Amino acid sequence: MSRFLSSKYRDLEAYTPGEQPRDMKYIKLNTNESPYPPSKRVIDALSSDEVMKLNLYSDPTAKELKARIAELYGVESENVFVSNGSDDILNFSFMAFCEGDKTAVSFPEISYGFYSVYAELHGVKANVIPLKDDFSIDPCDYMKNDSTVVIANPNAPTGIALGLDDIEGIVKSNPDHLVLVDEAYVDFGAQSAIELTQKYSNLLVVCTFSKSRSLAGARLGFAIASKEIIADLEKIKYSTNPYNINRLSLIAGEMAILDNGYYMDNCKRIVETREYTQNALRKLGFYVTDSKANFIFAKSDKIGGEELYLKLKARGILIRHFSKEKIKDYNRITVGTKAEMDSLISAITEILKEL
Ligand SMILES: *Cc1c(COP(=O)(O)O)cnc(C)c1O
């Protein structure tokens, strides 16, 4: 730390992303990327003609991309916000819809690690709510706490989803507060709340191209809400970085929406592979949560979470371990291709034998 850093940020604890190693080739099951490449239309559209245009700024209104997203989800372009990854949208939302002690923010104790980072970054009081013993979210906990609400559905890293009724209950019971539903993993088996944005003016649904649409490296996220909420997000964007989506990512996003069928087929394959892998892990004595995401959350009585993580890493397989006390026995394992999961299962079988 230099002596110039603002006192505001001296104690800030930044988010720790999963490892993105460059030293050797791992089977990478640690950051919930898609194991499948972008669709052919995406690849073809990123032509050298488009690269030639990189001397020009991108469209700050993202008109085409918004129109495509609006069409797919049956809303108007004015109901759509796009940005440089959904992390960007979460950051903007904490800036826009939370305020110090006045409008605190409530989110689950075990959830996406960025929520507490953004709360701290923006000096917002965080009301951190424990999960139930089975790691599920109790919707009642979010109904009357006089604060902005942020919920990942499905939740991470548990993978457990709330039903649409429960989400609607939370939204309905907070008419004077914004409810943000982070649907990063919704395409892998949960119900989206996007349709409810037509009915409730306090609901903001945040989505990403990073997981189900194979574009983690393009950095593209979108959000759907009332025109007024979207206008607020635009205001923050235009006050920070109006060109925050580059030309190539805009094109990639448009083509990905046009090729929606390809991605939804991939999601189906990932769901099948998830169920296959979970069954195999159960046979090896693991406990797994009821995941509706593209990852598995698993623990074994035979081996600690960190030990399994390290032993798999030594064998060239990366998974994600969190040291938080309540989940330290678990690991989060991204669902890759069936072949990758077979390698994982063989490696775990060997590791258990050697104990
Ligand atoms: C991966 C993830 C994000 C961030 O996605 P980007 O669009 O890549 O920034 C947001 N929320 C949750 C819960 C995630 O797991």
Side-chain angles (χ1 to χ4, degrees):
M1 187 178 359
S2 81
R3 62 204 151 91
F4 309 110
L5 182 66
S6 160
S7 59
K8 273 194 301 208
Y9 302 126
R10 282 200 192 138
D11 297 326
L12 178 64
E13 220 180 291
Y15 178 74
T16 315
E19 298 159 89
Q20 305 292 356
R22 300 283 178 258
D23 58 332
M24 65 175 255
K25 187 127 181 57
Y26 287 95
I27 294 182
K28 215 176 152 298
L29 307 175
N30 69 329
T31 50
N32 299 342
E33 291 137 322
S34 174
Y36 302 114
S39 67
K40 185 160 183 307
R41 219 184 310 205
V42 170
I43 296 163
D44 290 347
L46 299 176
S47 61
S48 52
D49 280 359
E50 294 300 335
V51 176
M52 290 275 288
K53 292 186 211 156
L54 283 178
N55 58 319
L56 305 174
Y57 280 109
S58 55
D59 172 15
T61 70
K63 188 160 175 282
E64 301 295 326
L65 177 58
K66 282 187 182 177
R68 294 279 104 79
I69 294 170
E71 201 180 348
L72 180 63
Y73 290 101
V75 297
E76 303 296 319
S77 283
E78 293 75 25
N79 299 118
V80 180
F81 181 73
V82 291
S83 209
N84 187 333
S86 61
D87 287 339
D88 212 29
I89 305 179
L90 295 171
N91 183 34
F92 288 173
S93 300
F94 274 74
M95 287 169 84
F97 307 117
C98 302
E99 200 170 336
D101 292 336
K102 241 181 13 208
T103 310
V105 59
S106 299
F107 52 81
E109 180 184 14
I110 305 295
S111 193
Y112 188 39
F114 242 131
Y115 304 151
S116 52
V117 176
Y118 289 136
E120 214 185 320
L121 178 65
H122 300 299
V124 177
K125 189 167 158 274
N127 176 29
V128 178
I129 302 177
L131 296 177
K132 293 201 279 188
D133 287 343
D134 64 0
F135 284 164
S136 65
I137 288 172
D138 185 346
C140 298
D141 288 343
Y142 298 84
M143 288 188 174
K144 297 229 160 42
N145 36 28
D146 198 27
S147 71
T148 299
V149 172
V150 176
I151 285 179
N153 195 43
N155 196 14
T158 64
I160 299 171
L162 283 176
L164 201 52
D165 290 353
D166 286 330
I167 295 288
E168 183 165 10
I170 295 170
V171 174
K172 221 182 197 165
S173 65
N174 283 287
D176 297 324
H177 290 286
L178 183 115
V179 175
L180 186 160
V181 181
D182 181 347
E183 294 193 347
Y185 301 105
V186 79
D187 295 325
F188 303 101
Q191 289 171 287
S192 174
I194 288 177
E195 62 178 68
L196 297 179
T197 61
Q198 311 266 43
K199 201 165 147 196
Y200 297 99
S201 62
N202 62 324
L203 172 62
L204 170 63
V205 179
V206 178
C207 307
T208 177
F209 284 77
S210 295
K211 315 282 163 61
S212 57
R213 292 192 168 91
S214 304
L215 285 176
R219 312 303 306 125
L220 202 53
F222 63 100
I224 297 183
S226 71
K227 277 192 245 173
E228 291 75 18
I229 290 175
I230 298 303
D232 295 340
L233 290 171
E234 293 290 354
K235 186 179 208 166
I236 304 279
K237 164 179 148 158
Y238 278 88
S239 307
T240 49
N241 181 2
Y243 303 109
N244 68 351
I245 307 178
N246 71 74
R247 300 182 73 97
L248 300 179
S249 294
L250 282 175
I251 293 169
E254 284 165 40
M255 295 302 138
I257 294 289
L258 289 177
D259 266 341
N260 195 48
Y262 165 82
Y263 295 100
M264 294 308 118
D265 285 348
N266 285 347
C267 289
K268 260 189 235 154
R269 286 153 77 186
I270 290 168
V271 168
E272 282 166 21
T273 311
R274 177 184 73 209
E275 299 306 311
Y276 165 81
T277 311
Q278 284 185 336
N279 281 333
L281 287 173
R282 282 196 198 99
K283 279 189 197 138
L284 290 171
F286 279 78
Y287 167 76
V288 297
T289 58
D290 179 21
S291 174
K292 299 282 185 247
N294 67 338
F295 55 80
I296 291 163
F297 198 52
K299 73 165 176 179
S300 164
D301 291 338
K302 297 181 198 136
I303 186 164
E306 186 172 23
E307 190 183 357
L308 179 61
Y309 155 76
L310 289 170
K311 290 202 154 138
L312 282 170
K313 186 173 178 184
R315 284 164 203 256
I317 300 176
L318 272 187
I319 60 174
R320 186 90 197 254
H321 179 256
F322 298 93
S323 49
K324 227 178 194 177
E325 185 60 29
K326 286 190 180 167
I327 52 171
K328 68 175 183 3
D329 295 339
Y330 286 78
N331 282 296
R332 191 194 69 191
I333 305 166
T334 304
V335 178
T337 60
K338 179 141 183 303
E340 287 173 328
M341 301 324 267
D342 281 332
S343 302
L344 170 87
I345 292 159
S346 311
I348 293 178
T349 307
E350 280 175 29
I351 289 167
L352 292 179
K353 266 190 204 139
E354 283 169 14
L355 288 178

